[in-house]
Amino acid sequence: MLRSRLIVFLAGWMVGCGGGISQTLHPVDGLKLGTDGPVLRAKARMGQPFSVVGPQGVVVGEQQGSFEAWILPVKLLSHFVLEAEVEGYPVPIDLNAAAQEIEVRADRTTITYSHIAVTVRQIMFAPERMVDGTGAVILFEVDGVRPVNLTFRFTGEMRPMWPQAGGGTPSAEWVAQGASGYYVLHTDFPDFAGAVAIPGAKAGVMAPYQERPQVHPLEFHLHVDPKDRGRYYPLLMAVGRSVETASGAALGKRLAGLNEGLAGMYAEYLEGERTRAAGLTSIRTPDLDLNADFAWAEDSIGKLRAKSQPGGEMGLVAGYYESGDSARPGFGWYFGRDTLYTIGAIDGYGDFGLARSALEFLMKRQRADGKVMHEFSQTAGLVDWASLPYEYAAADATPLFLTTMLDYVRSSGDVAFLTAHRDAVERAWTFETTHDTDGDGIYDNAQGTGWVESWPPGMPKQEIYLALLDQQGSAAMGELAELSGDAKGAAAAKARAAGLKETIEREYYLPGKDAYAFSRDDGRLDGTATVFPAIAWWNGGEGLVHAKASLRRWASHDFATDWGLRDVAESDPMYDPISYHQGSVWPLFTGWAAMAQYRSGNALAGYQSTMANADLTTVQDIGAVTELLSGAFFEPFGRSTSRQLWSSGMVVIPVLRGMFGVEVDGLRHTVRVSPRLPAEWGAAEVRNLHVADSVVNVSYKREGWAMVVRLEQVSGAAVRLEGASDGVERRVALPGVEVALSHGLPVRGSRTGQMKVLDQSLDGQSLRLELEGLGGSTERLGVVRNDPAAKVRVEGAELVGDGLVVRFGDGAGYVSQVVTLRW
């Protein structure tokens, strides 16, 4: 093995030296970075993640600046760190320890290292369009009071993403180019190599062949004078995956081309980001942070596209996180259900092209019998993926595909897309309706997992989660069949949906607990208290019949932490707050609950759930929402994918469809609204709402006892506001008095301690609230008089000015309090 590695190394060295580079690598001058658009700034925190992602490249690391870089699907390098030596200042400066600030913009992320003698800015971006074999770009801007010598250390990796086998630890070759040069990272194979350069830098330790085997990190040594202030030193990276592209000469030319085109490439990327953002739906509310969180969620979703290898198709990956010494960067590959839950957000903000491509990606990998894929690695096309057990491991993507196809067609009005892919829809429907092992008519877990992938009592045979998706998939198929002109098929699907609703109530409702079971196994019910029945409201409809107690419990501290919902109740014997499936908090579950709460009439609880998700935008990976958190303490899991696709989707969907109550029908060019805005908002607006090929703005304004909703046409065919006599303006009745809640996350590491709204009911001129808070605590709620003349009387609390002071009785843990307002 040693001899074969040596032969490959020498062959690469000869090719590299013989080819040369036609242009000398050089720093970049005159680059104009964007200064407009939204920006987030925070103190760089040791151990907290950041991610810079694009379709071809990813940089993931920690906010003190260390990172790994991927040219998808290959991890090129890792453990990248910086050190400085300033002339006349004889102490090495650990720049990563001096990381002060992280700044996140749509077009780039910057980490600033600050010392009394030198400031270094690490500027990272991952453009939309790049030459194959390149990905993200990192620029270093150096500003010193004296000449400074920088050392950049890293580990060469050349490791393909799981599960493709690697090419061994790479051997580094330094290809000199005048006083500088670049590294070629050779593997055991002549068709797989990478290259890394920093213009003007020299090589670090390179043990000669004669020396005994030893390990040194690779290093770039770069000298920068104060007169070089304003120049950018790019970290240039490339990968070759064929004999022709993996030679030293070919890689060198690719680095040179990247270097020459960098300024233009960034300018094109910046303009593309501006154009994309300007075309998407946005919100304008008095809560400026929420407005930004909504926009960042759209940005995060859009950046989680990746080109498949081979083929170059664009699909959505579940999310990214640093891989450490593994080949798994979080869940950086394609998932069916992650994509399908997120398309609801994409439809909502109007990126119909992305929704189409995501659906097409899944349909291309639909199994012949109709089952929709669960999981597909970025290297799946390079290995025998079919021999592994992952692609169709879960069963829920198939009914989700039907509901999501309907959502896309209804939002976009794109019946032609449905017609073109009717076979995929029919095959999914056939699969869903022909896989029932116990004869009760419900699609069950025999064809893959429902939600949980592990369950201590044993894997369930039929989960209520999957049963409810089967019912919703059947209802969706009824509408899809109608749109396809199949009246008989539509009637059969709708009848099946109605029958499933009755069967679920009969089989899963537990009268003794006034709750719904988690699963059913040959007639035996698992009564574990879970959030999964909340999926009943996901696609609209009436939800569950006996849901009041469940909704109340989901809103309580038993499920609702101050940072989102647990999947298993804290009081349940199954509860384990640090497990993956038995008590952790997922923004996904919080989004399900928020929609159930909004659609069932508890808008205050819906607001608390929605804001818990939105507030996570700036907690960990700045500008993104993490995958899961502890059920006991406000802390993300150590392995939580910090930029998670559907977690960002669960900011957009509850805000747009829950809080603003927007439902788009692109087939009829109408918008229906059921506003549930916070009481203290006098006005708000949804801008650039896409209704098929039209765009409208929808404004909301409180005028006494009414919410005036007005539609403004921006472009395209005329759109009507449902319920408006003139098609443009509608007055929605408001109660004479409402209450307003504050929001905000606790200090990291905290346990749950905030007030919860378990239930709310309006009866004429009275509002009844069932609240709970920590024993002995006091909470203040705002009181908003839509009727200025209203004389408010309160029971269970004290009215102080425009505030409601609620004092919870003594007791351990949470205690309940009923507050009634009459006017």
Side-chain angles (χ1 to χ4, degrees), residues 783-794:
V783 175
V784 176
R785 292 173 171 85
N786 297 316
D787 176 5
K791 295 181 179 180
V792 182
R793 304 181 305 280
V794 178

Side-chain angles (χ1 to χ4, degrees), residues 538-748:
W538 182 246
N539 289 290
E542 299 174 354
L544 294 166
V545 174
H546 306 284
K548 188 172 181 63
S550 294
L551 287 160
R552 181 187 179 281
R553 194 173 181 186
W554 293 329
S556 78
H557 75 281
D558 206 14
F559 277 94
T561 71
D562 299 342
W563 50 94
L565 264 79
R566 308 176 179 102
D567 58 347
V568 172
E570 184 181 36
S571 62
D572 196 281
M574 184 74 72
Y575 172 69
D576 178 358
I578 61 172
S579 69
Y580 198 65
H581 283 303
Q582 290 89 46
S584 52
V585 169
W586 295 46
L588 177 69
F589 308 147
T590 308
W592 294 349
M595 293 308 300
Q597 289 158 345
Y598 276 125
R599 285 173 167 163
S600 64
N602 191 350
L604 292 173
Y607 177 76
Q608 290 184 309
S609 297
T610 298
M611 298 312 299
N613 272 357
D615 287 342
L616 288 172
T617 303
T618 53
V619 164
Q620 191 190 27
D621 192 340
I622 308 298
V625 182
T626 197
E627 176 195 6
L628 76 163
L629 305 94
S630 166
F633 303 109
F634 178 37
E635 193 63 42
F637 275 35
R639 289 295 294 269
S640 174
T641 296
S642 62
R643 180 184 291 269
Q644 221 288 344
L645 181 70
W646 61 23
S647 294
S648 291
M650 295 304 152
V651 174
V652 173
I653 294 172
V655 168
L656 197 58
R657 303 192 187 200
M659 186 184 295
F660 279 94
V662 170
E663 297 294 340
V664 165
D665 189 338
L667 298 166
R668 298 189 300 130
H669 276 73
T670 62
V671 175
R672 183 172 66 254
V673 296
S674 302
R676 311 170 186 103
L677 302 183
E680 73 274 22
W681 290 5
E685 190 174 10
V686 176
R687 298 189 62 82
N688 285 347
L689 181 67
H690 294 251
V691 185
D693 55 355
S694 300
V695 177
V696 298
N697 297 331
V698 183
S699 63
Y700 301 70
K701 186 178 181 181
R702 290 177 181 270
E703 292 185 1
W705 291 66
M707 175 79 74
V708 179
V709 182
R710 183 174 180 81
L711 185 148
E712 176 193 7
Q713 193 80 31
V714 176
S715 65
V719 176
R720 289 184 57 83
L721 179 65
E722 286 192 12
S725 58
D726 62 356
V728 173
E729 184 175 294
R730 176 185 167 210
R731 297 177 70 86
V732 180
L734 293 173
V737 176
E738 294 180 82
V739 299
L741 304 176
S742 60
H743 70 88
L745 295 169
V747 174
R748 293 280 288 268

Side-chain angles (χ1 to χ4, degrees), residues 452-468:
V452 299
E453 296 162 315
S454 64
W455 198 248
M459 290 301 291
K461 292 187 176 180
Q462 185 186 91
E463 297 172 42
I464 191 170
Y465 163 78
L466 195 57
L468 288 166

Side-chain angles (χ1 to χ4, degrees), residues 76-298:
L76 178 64
L77 58 84
S78 68
H79 303 92
F80 197 103
V81 295
L82 297 81
E83 184 178 280
E85 294 184 8
V86 177
E87 185 178 286
Y89 195 88
V91 177
I93 302 166
D94 180 352
L95 287 175
N96 296 102
Q100 299 298 325
E101 182 187 71
I102 180 169
E103 177 190 272
V104 179
R105 295 177 180 269
D107 62 286
R108 66 187 186 276
T109 292
T110 302
I111 294 175
T112 299
Y113 311 99
S114 179
H115 182 268
I116 62 170
V118 62
T119 293
V120 177
R121 294 180 179 86
Q122 177 177 306
I123 303 163
M124 301 165 281
F125 57 97
E128 170 89 11
R129 296 197 305 169
M130 296 195 73
V131 174
D132 285 346
T134 61
V137 174
I138 301 170
L139 306 173
F140 295 98
E141 183 184 15
V142 185
D143 185 3
V145 298
R146 300 175 183 174
V148 60
N149 291 312
L150 292 170
T151 298
F152 305 87
R153 294 190 182 90
F154 63 97
T155 300
E157 291 279 1
M158 290 305 299
R159 183 181 296 198
M161 192 180 293
W162 168 88
Q164 186 182 17
T169 301
S171 301
E173 168 200 358
W174 179 255
V175 179
Q177 185 194 46
S180 184
Y182 59 96
Y183 285 110
V184 176
L185 304 179
H186 297 281
T187 68
D188 290 339
F189 306 101
D191 60 352
F192 185 39
V196 191
I198 295 180
K202 302 178 184 300
V205 175
M206 294 287 290
Y209 163 67
Q210 295 88 342
E211 187 57 58
R212 64 186 180 86
Q214 51 192 272
V215 176
H216 297 278
L218 297 176
E219 293 181 345
F220 286 113
H221 294 166
L222 179 67
H223 180 81
V224 181
D225 286 318
K227 64 180 177 61
D228 295 320
R229 178 183 178 186
R231 308 188 86 182
Y232 296 96
Y233 295 87
L235 176 66
L236 305 169
M237 299 174 283
V239 167
R241 297 179 62 86
S242 67
V243 172
E244 294 76 21
T245 60
S247 70
L251 288 166
K253 289 178 181 177
R254 186 160 290 176
L255 293 178
L258 181 59
N259 192 191
E260 287 300 313
L262 198 151
M265 178 183 62
Y266 170 76
E268 179 187 74
Y269 175 55
L270 175 62
E271 188 57 34
E273 287 294 295
R274 288 169 174 161
T275 301
R276 179 178 180 275
L280 300 181
T281 301
S282 62
I283 61 172
R284 292 185 180 179
T285 79
D287 189 334
L288 301 184
D289 289 337
L290 178 60
N291 301 345
D293 294 340
F294 188 91
W296 285 113
E298 294 176 334

